[in-house]
Amino acid sequence: MSVAAANELLTATSPPGTAAVRVAGVTKTYGTGDSRTVALKAVEFEARPGELHLVIGPSGCGKTTLLSVVAGTLAWDSGEIEVLGTRLNGMKDSALAAFRGRHIGFIFQQFNLIPTLDLVENVSVPLLLNGVRRAVAERRAAEVLARVGLAEKARRRPKDLSGGQQQRVAIARALVHEPRLIICDEPTSALDSRTGHTIMELLADIARTPGRCVILVTHDPRTYGFASRITEMEDGRVRQEFSGQAIQDFIATHH
Ligand SMILES: Nc1ncnc2c1ncn2[C@@H]1O[C@H](COP(=O)(O)OP(=O)(O)O)[C@@H](O)[C@H]1O
Ligand SMILES: [Mg+2]
């Protein structure tokens, strides 16, 4: 496959007007008896293409659980989940894994880079998993590394990089296969203020790509100003959702 053909394959667009993510009445319980925790209580949530959608709320309110059910890595009890126009209910694990590998990029607090691989090899992984030839994958990985400002480090190992640079590699890896949904769990928590700001600018820019949606879980108030929309969770429920001027008002009252 040529680079052009690989790029074309990887940039299929969603039908117009489709929500990127639709979660309807989803409940998720962990454990049984005394250790039973209801982590999601009939959650309603919708994320749109072209938006950086923050999910905020105190530790333990269910943010990571919500991301996990949307990513199809965690089974839920009841309710409906639709991602990029595909209904996840009733999908087999193997189909979910293929769907996730093709359409979702992940960024976590821990960068999860492979220490024995250089940056190009790390960033190539999602393409190799999607069946792209190594030479093509590495050329494309190098392009995306350049896009996050790491062209000169392409053949270095993760240990030669700062935390902020490692997170940029993780972002390049999350983007390399042009997924339409990027899921981030506390991506700035391990970074200092200035580095976190740079990472948020990059993610906000990525979210502006037509047809692409970034959902970002955080409890870091410094990220709020980058949001297109914010969903605030509390004890397994959605407390409120807001956008536009309401975000500025929220920031003003929470600082
Ligand atoms: N694997 C698990 N087993 C049991 N309880 C869990 C598990 N994961 C999360 N929980 C519980 O579910 C609730 C929501 O957790 P989580 O989604 O991780 O919240 P957040 O990401 O907002 O901190 C918490 O009470 C947490 O202790
Ligand atoms: Mg969490």
Side-chain angles (χ1 to χ4, degrees):
M1 199 188 295
S2 69
V3 173
N7 279 339
E8 193 170 325
L9 173 78
L10 295 171
T11 53
T13 52
S14 50
T18 316
V21 170
R22 214 175 257 138
V23 170
V26 166
T27 295
K28 167 65 186 177
T29 309
Y30 293 107
T32 53
D34 285 350
S35 67
R36 189 167 180 272
T37 306
V38 188
L40 299 177
K41 301 170 181 168
V43 167
E44 303 286 329
F45 174 82
E46 200 170 300
R48 308 167 192 205
E51 293 200 348
L52 175 60
H53 193 135
L54 260 52
V55 179
I56 68 170
S59 180
C61 72
K63 305 183 297 296
T64 295
T65 302
L66 178 62
L67 285 190
S68 305
V69 298
V70 165
T73 54
L74 182 69
W76 63 100
D77 306 338
S78 56
E80 305 278 320
I81 301 180
E82 199 181 287
V83 177
L84 304 167
T86 298
R87 194 166 171 270
L88 301 193
N89 294 65
M91 263 172 95
K92 288 191 179 135
D93 284 350
S94 56
L96 276 173
F99 181 79
R100 185 164 58 240
R102 175 62 197 80
H103 293 295
I104 307 181
F106 292 92
I107 300 165
F108 301 101
Q109 178 179 345
Q110 309 303 332
F111 318 123
N112 298 326
L113 302 174
I114 301 171
T116 53
L117 301 183
D118 69 26
L119 304 195
V120 167
E121 291 167 334
N122 264 287
V123 172
S124 299
V125 167
L127 291 175
L128 299 177
L129 293 174
N130 277 293
V132 176
R133 272 196 298 126
R134 178 172 298 274
V136 173
E138 294 205 350
R139 227 177 313 151
R140 163 115 187 115
E143 282 170 23
V144 182
L145 275 168
R147 218 158 91 202
V148 300
L150 289 171
E152 297 96 90
K153 307 265 183 198
R155 288 300 172 184
R156 296 295 192 75
R157 300 265 169 91
K159 67 167 168 44
D160 299 331
L161 275 61
S162 68
Q165 289 172 331
Q166 290 191 48
Q167 192 60 303
R168 266 146 63 195
V169 178
I171 290 172
R173 181 185 53 191
L175 290 177
V176 74
H177 55 309
E178 295 281 352
R180 276 146 56 200
L181 177 62
I182 319 271
I183 285 181
C184 319
D185 200 346
E186 310 271 6
T188 62
S189 296
L191 305 173
D192 64 68
S193 231
R194 214 179 109 248
T195 311
H197 191 91
T198 310
I199 294 297
M200 287 304 299
E201 284 176 335
L202 187 55
L203 292 172
D205 190 47
I206 288 162
R208 278 191 286 269
T209 308
R212 179 174 293 159
C213 173
V214 178
I215 300 177
L216 190 149
V217 155
T218 184
H219 64 249
D220 179 357
R222 294 168 306 189
T223 63
Y224 298 172
F226 293 93
S228 323
R229 191 175 302 277
I230 297 182
T231 295
E232 185 185 12
M233 290 183 71
E234 186 179 65
D235 191 24
R237 294 180 203 282
V238 172
R239 184 162 183 264
Q240 57 170 336
E241 189 196 295
F242 50 98
S243 61
Q245 182 58 39
I247 294 178
Q248 303 314 316
D249 297 345
F250 185 82
I251 292 169
T253 54
H254 287 77
H255 267 291

